[in-house]
């Protein structure tokens, strides 16, 4: 499913449509979001490098990790860093997001402002001004293609860091502007769910077209307790997780996919999930009581119902059902007429069967007394 | 006041003289209790709501952030207004809301429109027992004689609205993106609606469509009390000027208390929901799952001038795109569910769309 997401981002959006946007969500119980982000970034880089994708390049807005980290990431994936500037640009918001260091440089306290990376980076000094950020991103993207008309992908290292500095509505406005811009082909970002209020995360989910959540495979019951079982569980959750993706499709349906992810030394691996999650289909439609099948219990109960007839059809001697005994309390002596139990508190039913008046064989052939 | 026609009872509803003739505008229809309706643009929804949207009511659609179904409802609503030459205001958080007008559907041309064919089920067998009500459905053979004079048009979602419907119309598109608050928009609405011609008691019936009021890009989205007071004034505005306002919002974007308040403000409350794709369990549970795009639930129906609530037989409907062209709403045909599990609803999913609106003759 991670492949599916990468392919969707690679293919980008159609003309006149909003660009597909992926949000990668993780929590403290399974903090593997940055690994997934790196994985998607490297996959898209390889697509773009081989020119198999709609976009010509990637603009990465680095807020929580420095450009040096990304340089090393690219090197480890086998890309040549020197030539990568034709298709990979970084907007460095990590070195000096609020402009403090440049103030120190001005005042002479520190020497220079380099990020230590050989990748060409543009440094953003005011993360709080999102309009400026937006125009810098677009400018960088235009530089990626020669004529300024090619499309590019935007990756935001962590929207959580952005939300530290600005309000939800401005971040949402930035994302929606990026999505609706003609030259943005696709965008994806990382978000740490438990760092924000539910409204903020709901707003960002609203802005996205795909949502990938990383959940722990085994939920530990008592979080903070540090007994040995819990520790090993927590350790496991640092390496393995459940990768759930919800995709909003064009026809208005939601596609849900699940995978298991594990982080190893070689990288990240996605494997199909061993046990399928229960779908909540039944919660969507109102329940209807129109059942044609009987359950086991219902069948047994039905067999036990005493019918108000003389013959219960089970070969036992005839007994009139008077409504007070069940079949199970059969008396030893069969009774042909009903003799109700006299209960001093209750009324009596004295019932004489009409058929008792008739002598048996009384309706024999009346012609028998003819002497012919 | 004596009526001319013979009466079977001694009491009869006293309609004023104007109502004995057809309403002046083709887009309006008389309803019970002295109300007038205008069409929502979706035939099935009009039937479910008992005639359409009542003039003076505020309709709210609760969106599902995962599906764009509220846009379908808005599109049909706006197109219907344009077809009937009713003035229209559209507001959204997009930079250029006029672009949305390009996606409005065109009424279906009569040669394309065949009466709805109930496709016979391929699989016979015992499942028919709970599906039979589908076949009883009202065979509405309203032939569209002249497209202009019918109350609710059947819209073809694949064809954009023709240019001539836009000309000479009072259409206003407002972008809420840059507004810091809603005061300007409120003034805009009131001035727009006050210009609606009202000579000879001829009510044109204005339409206001507001899409995604609480979308997070707008600065006022976290000013909940301001939004609430705006909606309250919108409601009174709409009631005074006999217009209908349709407003969509996503409940997940606002706090629960505020969402509840919004829901209480609505006269008619409808919600749309996305359905999971390729869900085998849902496919077993519902017929026609392949064609379904979503679910629509009706929570509240506007009742003006009466204390009697409208109790619908079914509140959840499936939204389907018939031949990918027109939106139809159908009652859910559900497979029998094990009744022993969970609470059951009183509804049996029966398929009578219209609530009874017979005249109260004693």
């Amino acid at each position: 499913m991670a492949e599916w997401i990468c392919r969707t981002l690679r293919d980008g959006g159609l003309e006149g449509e909003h660009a597909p946007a992926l949000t990668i969500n993780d929590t403290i119980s399974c903090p593997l979001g940055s690994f997934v982000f790196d994985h998607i970034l490297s996959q898209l880089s390889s697509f773009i490098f081989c020119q198999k994708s709609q976009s010509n390049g990637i603009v990465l807005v680095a807020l929580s990790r420095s450009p040096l980290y990304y340089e090393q990431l690219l090197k480890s994936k086998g890309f040549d860093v020197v030539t990568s500037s034709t298709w990979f640009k970084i907007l460095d918001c990590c070195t000096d997001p609020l402009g403090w260091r440049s103030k120190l440089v001005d005042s002479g306290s520190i020497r220079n402002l380099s990020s230590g990376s050989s990748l060409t980076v543009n440094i953003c000094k005011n993360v709080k001004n999102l309009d400026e950020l937006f125009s810098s991103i677009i400018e960088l993207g235009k530089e990626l293609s020669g004529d300024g008309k090619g499309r590019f992908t935007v990756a935001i290292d962590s929207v959580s860091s952005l939300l530290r500095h600005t309000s939800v509505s401005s971040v949402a406005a930035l994302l929606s502007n990026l999505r609706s811009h003609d030259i943005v082909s696709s965008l994806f970002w990382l978000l740490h769910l438990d760092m924000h209020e539910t409204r903020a995360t709901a707003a960002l989910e609203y802005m996205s077209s795909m949502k990938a959540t990383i959940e722990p495979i085994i939920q530990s019951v008592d979080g903070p307790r540090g007994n040995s079982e819990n520790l090993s569980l927590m350790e496991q959750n640092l390496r393995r997780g459940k990768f759930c993706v919800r995709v909003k499709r064009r026809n208005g349906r939601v596609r849900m996919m699940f995978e298991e992810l594990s982080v190893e030394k070689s990288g990240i691996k996605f494997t199909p999930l061993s046990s399928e999650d229960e779908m909540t289909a039944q919660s969507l439609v109102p329940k209807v009581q129109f059942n044609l099948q009987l359950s086991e219990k219902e069948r047994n109960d039905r067999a036990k119902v005493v019918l108000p007839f003389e013959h219960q059809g089970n070969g036992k001697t005839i007994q009139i059902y008077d409504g007070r005994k069940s079949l199970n309390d059969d008396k030893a002596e069969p009774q042909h007429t009903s003799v109700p139990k006299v209960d001093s508190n209750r009324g009596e039913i004295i019932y004489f069967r009409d058929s008792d008046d008739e002598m048996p064989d009384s309706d024999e052939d009346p012609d028998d007394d003819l002497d012919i | 006041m004596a009526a001319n026609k013979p009466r079977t009872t001694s009491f009869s509803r006293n309609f004023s003289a104007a109502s004995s003739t057809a309403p002046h505008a083709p887009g309006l229809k008389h309803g019970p209790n002295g109300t007038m309706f205008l069409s929502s643009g979706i035939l099935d929804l009009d039937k479910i709501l008992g005639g359409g949207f009542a003039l003076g009511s505020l309709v709210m659609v609760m969106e599902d952030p995962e599906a764009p179904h509220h846009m379908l409802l808005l599109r049909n609503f706006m197109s219907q207004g344009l077809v009937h030459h009713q003035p229209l205001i559209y507001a959204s958080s997009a930079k250029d809301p006029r672009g949305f007008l390009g996606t409005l559907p065109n009424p279906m041309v009569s040669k394309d429109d065949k009466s709805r064919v109930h496709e016979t089920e391929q699989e016979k067998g015992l499942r028919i027992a709970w599906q039979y009500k589908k076949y009883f459905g009202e065979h509405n053979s309203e032939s569209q004689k002249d497209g202009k004079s019918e109350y609710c048009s059947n819209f073809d979602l694949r064809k954009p609205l023709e240019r001539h419907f836009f000309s000479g119309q009072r259409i206003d598109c407002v972008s809420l993106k840059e507004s810091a608050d809603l005061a300007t928009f409120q003034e805009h609405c009131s001035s727009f609606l006050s210009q609606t011609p009202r000579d000879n008691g001829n009510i044109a019936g204005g339409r206001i469509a507001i899409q995604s009021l609480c979308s997070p890009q707008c600065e006022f989205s976290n000013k909940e009390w301001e939004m609430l007071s705006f909606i309250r004034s919108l409601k009174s505005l709409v009631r005074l000027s006999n217009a209908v306002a349709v407003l969509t919002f996503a409940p997940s974007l606002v706090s629960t208390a505020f969402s509840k308040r919004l829901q209480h403000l609505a006269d008619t409350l409808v919600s749309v929901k996305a359905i999971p794709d390729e869900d085998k369990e849902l496919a077993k549970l519902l017929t026609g799952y392949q064609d379904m795009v979503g679910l629509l639930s009706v929570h509240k129906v506007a009742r003006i001038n009466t204390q009697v609530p409208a109790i619908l037989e079914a509140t959840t409907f499936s939204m389907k795109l018939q031949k990918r062209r027109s939106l139809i709403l159908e009652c859910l045909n559900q497979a029998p569910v094990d009744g022993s599990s969970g609470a059951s609803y009183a509804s049996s999913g029966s398929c009578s769309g219209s609530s009874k609106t017979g005249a109260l003759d004693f």
Side-chain angles (χ1 to χ4, degrees):
Chain A
M1 306 311 139
E3 308 305 317
W4 197 92
I5 299 176
C6 296
R7 268 181 278 138
T8 313
L9 289 175
R10 170 197 76 187
D11 296 336
L14 297 175
E15 201 60 52
E17 226 188 37
H18 282 191
L22 166 72
T23 166
I24 304 169
N25 296 343
D26 70 350
T27 53
I28 192 71
S29 48
C30 193
L32 301 174
S34 32
F35 293 104
V36 175
F37 184 87
D38 296 342
H39 172 81
I40 293 181
L41 187 66
S42 33
Q43 288 282 79
L44 279 177
S45 306
S46 58
F47 285 138
I48 289 171
F49 191 70
C50 310
Q51 298 188 345
K52 272 197 225 159
S53 86
Q54 190 196 54
S55 61
N56 293 342
I58 300 185
V59 171
L60 171 69
V61 182
L63 285 149
S64 57
R65 286 176 294 183
S66 72
L68 199 59
Y69 173 83
Y70 288 106
E71 184 186 322
Q72 286 163 356
L73 179 71
L74 282 183
K75 265 198 207 139
S76 67
K77 298 288 172 191
F79 295 105
D80 181 19
V81 176
V82 177
T83 56
S84 67
S85 58
T86 48
W87 54 270
F88 190 80
K89 295 229 187 270
I90 300 188
L91 186 61
D92 178 10
C93 305
C94 180
T95 321
D96 195 15
L98 296 172
W100 294 343
R101 286 184 69 173
S102 51
K103 284 198 191 129
L104 289 174
V105 165
D106 289 343
S107 71
S109 308
I110 57 173
R111 204 62 76 83
N112 66 351
L113 196 57
S114 111
S115 58
S117 158
S118 55
L119 279 172
T120 43
V121 290
N122 286 35
I123 299 185
C124 170
K125 298 216 178 107
N126 187 3
V127 158
K128 290 199 186 194
N129 186 347
L130 287 184
D131 293 330
E132 211 185 280
L133 193 71
F134 175 68
S135 25
S136 332
I137 297 175
I138 298 294
E139 257 179 54
L140 275 180
K142 286 193 176 143
E143 283 172 31
L144 279 174
S145 63
D147 54 358
K149 292 235 176 60
R151 302 177 78 171
F152 65 98
T153 302
V154 180
I156 303 182
D157 186 350
S158 132
V159 167
S160 293
S161 313
L162 258 188
L163 282 171
R164 276 175 61 198
H165 298 293
T166 53
S167 66
V168 179
S169 54
S170 25
V171 173
L174 169 73
L175 294 175
S176 110
N177 288 340
L178 282 173
R179 272 192 86 189
S180 48
H181 207 279
D182 299 334
I183 61 172
V184 172
S185 150
S186 55
L187 83 135
F188 62 103
W189 64 81
L190 176 62
L191 180 70
H192 303 295
L193 282 180
D194 35 15
M195 280 172 65
H196 309 289
E197 293 179 345
T198 31
R199 280 187 63 177
T201 51
L204 291 173
E205 273 172 34
Y206 187 80
M207 297 276 106
S208 67
S209 65
M210 294 187 281
K211 180 174 84 156
T213 316
I214 298 152
E215 286 163 13
I217 287 197
I218 311 144
Q219 309 269 358
S220 64
V221 178
D222 319 307
R225 299 246 197 103
N227 55 19
S228 56
E229 276 173 28
N230 251 348
L231 280 178
S232 67
L233 266 181
M234 279 161 65
E235 260 184 298
Q236 272 197 44
N237 283 336
L238 290 177
R239 281 193 306 268
R240 288 169 59 221
K242 194 163 71 168
F243 190 61
C244 319
V245 179
R246 288 181 78 103
V247 180
K248 301 179 199 179
R249 302 194 64 201
R250 281 194 195 102
N251 58 7
R253 291 198 189 180
V254 175
R255 184 129 174 245
M256 290 185 279
M257 300 179 278
F258 298 92
E259 257 187 345
E260 198 177 300
L261 73 84
S262 56
V263 176
E264 284 132 27
K265 282 215 171 64
S266 53
I268 196 169
K269 274 209 188 69
F270 292 93
T271 49
L273 202 58
S274 41
S275 62
E276 273 298 316
D277 234 10
E278 290 295 318
M279 295 291 183
T280 52
Q282 299 237 356
S283 62
L284 283 177
V285 296
K287 291 216 183 297
V288 164
Q289 277 242 5
F290 188 31
N291 191 8
L292 293 175
Q293 265 81 35
L294 293 176
S295 71
E296 190 62 44
K297 178 178 178 296
E298 286 168 341
R299 250 177 260 137
N300 287 340
D301 289 343
R302 186 173 72 166
K304 283 200 209 125
V305 165
V306 180
L307 302 168
F309 305 125
E310 290 183 13
H311 301 272
Q312 296 294 341
N314 51 9
K316 294 202 186 140
T317 45
I318 298 167
Q319 182 178 13
I320 306 302
Y321 178 63
D322 61 5
R324 271 181 237 154
K325 303 192 283 240
S326 75
L327 279 182
N328 296 332
D329 311 334
D330 251 349
K331 299 285 184 236
E333 67 269 21
Q335 299 173 359
H336 286 277
T337 54
S338 73
V339 177
K341 281 199 212 148
V342 176
D343 192 352
S344 54
N345 292 338
R346 297 187 187 174
E348 298 179 0
I349 300 173
I350 300 172
Y351 170 67
F352 295 105
R353 287 165 60 186
D354 290 343
S355 52
D356 285 353
D357 298 341
E358 245 178 58
M359 300 309 295
D361 294 327
S362 66
D363 49 352
E364 60 184 341
D365 194 351
D367 294 337
D368 272 1
D369 52 359
L370 281 180
D371 278 335
I372 297 176
Chain B
M1 301 265 289
N4 291 332
K5 54 181 191 236
R7 292 171 295 173
T8 50
T9 63
S10 36
F11 294 104
S12 67
R13 186 153 292 266
N14 180 15
F15 282 117
S16 56
S19 67
S20 52
T21 59
H24 305 279
L28 301 176
K29 179 165 98 163
H30 282 291
N33 309 317
T35 52
M36 284 180 73
F37 287 126
L38 53 75
S39 171
S40 62
I42 306 167
L43 247 136
D44 291 325
L45 190 61
D46 282 349
K47 270 191 239 148
I48 293 165
L49 295 176
F53 293 146
L55 280 190
S57 68
L58 174 67
V59 180
M60 283 199 183
V61 180
M62 296 203 286
E63 307 168 13
D64 186 339
E66 295 180 320
H69 301 313
H70 57 280
M71 314 279 277
L72 273 177
L73 300 181
L74 272 178
R75 283 194 192 111
N76 281 302
F77 177 70
M78 288 164 63
S79 287
Q80 187 68 75
L82 292 178
V83 164
H84 285 309
H85 303 288
Q86 289 159 346
L88 173 70
I89 288 192
Y90 169 66
S92 83
S93 56
K95 235 184 302 193
D96 183 24
R98 282 241 152 213
F100 187 66
L101 295 180
T103 62
L104 297 181
N106 200 40
M108 224 180 279
V109 182
S110 50
K111 64 171 161 63
D112 297 332
D113 181 25
K114 302 179 177 70
S115 62
R116 268 198 269 159
V117 177
H118 293 285
E119 280 144 23
T120 52
E121 282 287 324
Q122 295 302 318
E123 40 183 354
K124 311 223 173 358
L126 293 175
R127 297 185 77 181
I128 291 180
W130 51 271
Q131 288 178 6
Y132 70 98
K133 286 200 174 156
K134 187 163 94 160
Y135 299 102
F136 278 145
E138 300 117 274
H139 283 279
N140 292 320
S141 50
E142 286 128 21
S143 50
Q144 274 85 21
K145 293 190 185 112
D146 28 300
K148 286 269 165 78
S149 65
E150 63 178 9
Y151 176 64
C152 177
S153 325
N154 204 357
F155 285 103
D156 183 351
L157 291 165
R158 279 174 157 184
K159 295 210 182 103
L161 196 58
E162 288 166 13
R163 304 286 313 162
H164 69 90
F165 285 115
F166 287 104
S167 56
Q169 294 273 37
R170 297 191 47 234
I171 309 172
D172 249 353
C173 291
V174 180
S175 168
L176 295 173
K177 204 168 135 87
E178 303 300 326
S179 353
D181 57 21
L182 289 161
T184 35
F185 179 53
Q186 189 175 324
E187 279 167 33
H188 190 117
C189 284
S190 55
S191 56
F192 183 83
L193 287 175
S194 60
Q195 292 162 22
T196 309
R198 295 197 56 186
D199 46 336
N200 304 331
N202 192 349
I203 310 165
R207 294 184 187 227
I208 302 181
I210 303 176
Q211 183 205 317
S212 302
L213 183 67
C214 309
S215 57
Q217 303 113 291
C218 305
E219 275 180 51
F220 56 77
S221 58
N222 52 358
K223 298 180 194 165
E224 295 185 335
W225 289 107
E226 285 194 24
M227 285 201 279
L228 202 60
S229 80
F230 162 72
I231 293 174
R232 211 170 48 106
S233 6
L234 179 72
K235 196 171 165 180
S236 59
L237 178 69
V238 147
R239 190 67 71 95
L240 283 176
S241 54
N242 274 324
V244 173
V246 173
L247 193 143
T248 74
F249 74 100
S252 59
L253 293 177
V254 292
S255 62
T256 5
F258 183 60
S259 159
K260 268 289 162 212
R261 289 187 177 107
L262 277 182
Q263 291 172 43
H264 279 300
L265 267 182
D267 290 318
T268 301
L269 185 64
V270 155
S271 71
V272 286
K273 227 174 148 61
I275 49 173
D277 198 20
E278 292 170 23
D279 185 344
K280 296 191 185 67
E281 219 184 280
L282 211 55
K284 271 189 289 178
L285 213 56
L286 301 169
T287 47
Y289 170 73
Q290 314 302 331
D291 307 319
M292 271 171 48
V293 292
L295 297 173
L296 181 129
S297 304
V298 179
H299 300 281
K300 230 203 294 192
V301 177
R303 299 291 277 170
I304 299 180
N305 299 338
T306 172
Q307 295 279 357
V308 180
I311 300 177
L312 303 175
E313 285 198 27
T315 54
T316 311
F317 302 90
S318 62
M319 297 170 73
K320 292 190 183 174
L321 288 180
Q322 198 189 26
K323 293 182 192 161
R324 296 177 191 273
R325 275 186 181 184
S326 52
L327 178 65
I328 56 175
L329 300 172
E330 273 184 9
C331 279
L332 297 176
N333 273 326
Q334 291 175 237
V337 162
D338 184 9
S340 55
S341 63
S344 69
Y345 282 58
S347 132
S348 59
S350 68
C351 191
S352 150
S354 57
S355 44
K356 301 204 170 64
T357 52
L360 288 170
D361 278 345
F362 294 103

